[in-house]
């Protein structure tokens, strides 16, 4: 299934994508797409419903973040071999963990703000894991059972804040709108191999990132199991798994950073696409 949230900001309703790409309303069955409704039993119940018997959503409503009430936004750094190489770093023997504020989450096509004082706002397309079941001290073999599905995210980053502002990476990762999420949460049964998906991002029509998730350093089961040994993963938590080469700070000889009025377009095979325009904060 492809689950989504649609409607004005702060008033989103749960929905799913029907067989012809239409949006069908789920608000008569569940209250939201959030951790409370991402367990296997609820997802199995939704699968039994014929989309054609669900209310059709007219028009082209705004699409919100595909998961609501996210308690943690966990990120894995330098997790593509080519990206580590372009920034002159070595892949780490264990997943490198950092966090984004959950207040950074926004809809997949909402405007992205350039923070005040920013000089190096950058882009990062990422495969994102959505946790479906509480996970603590789980094995790699059991990790997939704790995943509700996957989605697309843009890990927007202010590099000057991230690297040179006397702190951990979270300073450069957490501005409002720095985590566009969606358009869909695609349940894990429709993504049989998350390690073989084309992934790309373009800025003002120029393809900057073009890779495949087979280039991940640490796999999805490794990431989920590893994290569960350091924190309890809760239903609805999201895990951004890293970005491939082609970020703005890695472009040579001249890095490129985002300014107001630019457009980012990005996608992952089977998980949909996003499009954002940058604006001043």
């Amino acid at each position: 299934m492809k689950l989504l949230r649609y409607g004005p900001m702060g008033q989103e309703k749960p929905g799913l994508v029907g067989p012809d790409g239409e949006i069908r309303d789920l608000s008569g069955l569940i209250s939201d797409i959030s951790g409370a409704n991402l367990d296997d039993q609820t997802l199995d119940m939704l699968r039994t419903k014929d989309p054609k018997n669900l209310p059709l959503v007219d028009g082209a409503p705004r699409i919100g973040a595909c998961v609501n009430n996210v308690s943690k936004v966990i990120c894995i750094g330098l997790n593509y071999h080519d990206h580590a190489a372009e920034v002159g770093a070595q892949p780490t023997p264990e997943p490198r963990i950092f966090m984004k504020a959950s207040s950074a989450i926004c809809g997949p096509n909402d405007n992205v703000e350039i923070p005040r004082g920013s000089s190096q706002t950058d882009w990062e397309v990422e495969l994102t894991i959505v946790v479906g079941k509480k996970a603590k001290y789980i094995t790699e073999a059991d990790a997939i059972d704790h995943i509700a599905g996957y989605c697309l995210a843009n890990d927007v980053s202010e590099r000057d804040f991230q690297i040179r502002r006397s702190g951990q990476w979270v300073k450069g990762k957490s501005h409002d709108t720095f985590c566009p999420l969606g358009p869909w949460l695609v349940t894990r049964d429709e993504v049989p191999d998350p390690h073989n998906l084309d992934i790309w991002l373009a800025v003002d029509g120029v393809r900057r990132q073009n890779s495949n998730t087979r280039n991940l350093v640490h796999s999805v089961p490794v990431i989920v199991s590893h994290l569960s040994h350091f924190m309890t993963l809760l239903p609805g938590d999201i895990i951004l798994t890293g970005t491939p080469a082609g970020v703005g700070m890695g472009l040579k000889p001249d890095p490129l950073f985002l300014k107001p009025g630019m457009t980012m377009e990005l996608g992952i095979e089977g998980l949909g696409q996003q499009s954002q325009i940058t604006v001043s904060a």
Side-chain angles (χ1 to χ4, degrees):
M1 290 182 295
K2 295 180 176 67
L3 303 175
L4 79 166
R5 300 172 63 250
Y6 68 94
M9 191 174 299
Q11 303 175 43
E12 294 92 344
K13 295 181 179 181
L16 63 76
V17 179
D20 298 319
E22 78 280 11
I23 298 175
R24 297 284 175 166
D25 180 29
L26 288 177
S27 57
L29 298 173
I30 57 174
S31 59
D32 205 348
I33 308 297
S34 62
N37 293 311
L38 293 179
D39 58 279
D40 287 343
Q41 293 77 16
T42 300
L43 296 179
D44 286 344
M45 178 273 291
L46 294 177
R47 288 188 187 95
T48 67
K49 308 301 180 182
D50 185 343
K52 294 181 179 179
N53 294 330
L54 298 172
L56 177 66
V57 177
D58 293 327
R62 170 188 171 271
I63 304 301
C66 59
V67 186
N68 196 24
N69 296 324
V70 175
S71 75
K72 292 190 288 296
V73 181
I74 311 162
C75 306
I76 309 300
L78 301 174
N79 199 35
Y80 278 74
H81 292 283
D82 54 2
H83 175 54
E86 77 174 340
V87 298
Q90 291 293 324
T92 53
E94 295 184 0
R96 181 191 295 260
I97 302 169
F98 64 95
M99 312 287 278
K100 290 174 84 84
S102 58
S103 55
I105 295 173
C106 66
N109 304 312
D110 291 344
N111 291 339
V112 165
E113 292 185 355
I114 305 298
R116 296 176 186 178
S118 168
S119 60
Q120 297 185 357
T121 299
D122 205 346
W123 56 83
E124 296 189 10
V125 59
E126 307 212 8
L127 170 69
T128 299
I129 300 163
V130 182
V131 177
K133 182 168 66 173
K134 182 178 177 180
K136 183 175 183 178
Y137 294 122
I138 64 170
T139 66
E140 292 175 23
D142 290 335
I144 296 298
D145 291 339
H146 291 75
I147 295 173
Y150 304 89
C151 64
L152 167 64
N154 189 352
D155 178 19
V156 185
S157 308
E158 212 299 341
R159 303 301 188 187
D160 184 59
F161 297 176
Q162 175 186 350
I163 298 168
R164 286 180 282 275
R165 293 295 296 273
S166 304
Q168 299 181 354
W169 288 4
V170 67
K171 280 187 177 181
K173 297 285 187 173
S174 294
H175 185 80
D176 293 351
T177 74
F178 268 25
C179 190
L181 195 67
W184 317 311
L185 188 170
V186 182
T187 51
R188 70 175 187 266
D189 58 300
E190 293 196 9
V191 188
D193 184 4
H195 308 105
N196 187 23
L197 304 174
D198 290 336
I199 180 171
W200 61 272
L201 181 144
V203 179
D204 286 343
V206 178
R207 187 70 64 97
R208 296 295 184 182
Q209 295 184 276
N210 195 31
S211 190
N212 188 284
T213 57
R214 71 172 68 95
N215 294 314
L216 284 165
V217 176
H218 302 290
S219 70
V220 167
V222 167
I223 290 168
V224 174
S225 172
H226 182 77
L227 289 174
S228 79
H229 285 73
F230 295 92
M231 64 191 79
T232 298
L233 301 176
L234 299 175
D237 285 350
I238 60 173
I239 306 166
L240 282 63
T241 61
T243 199
V247 298
M249 74 172 180
L251 296 177
K252 296 178 175 62
D254 299 312
L256 175 67
F257 297 109
L258 297 166
K259 306 296 182 186
M262 299 175 77
T263 299
M264 292 178 283
E265 297 172 293
L266 54 150
I268 298 179
E269 181 182 355
L271 302 184
Q273 299 185 21
Q274 300 182 356
S275 178
Q276 299 111 26
I277 296 172
T278 54
V279 298
S280 297

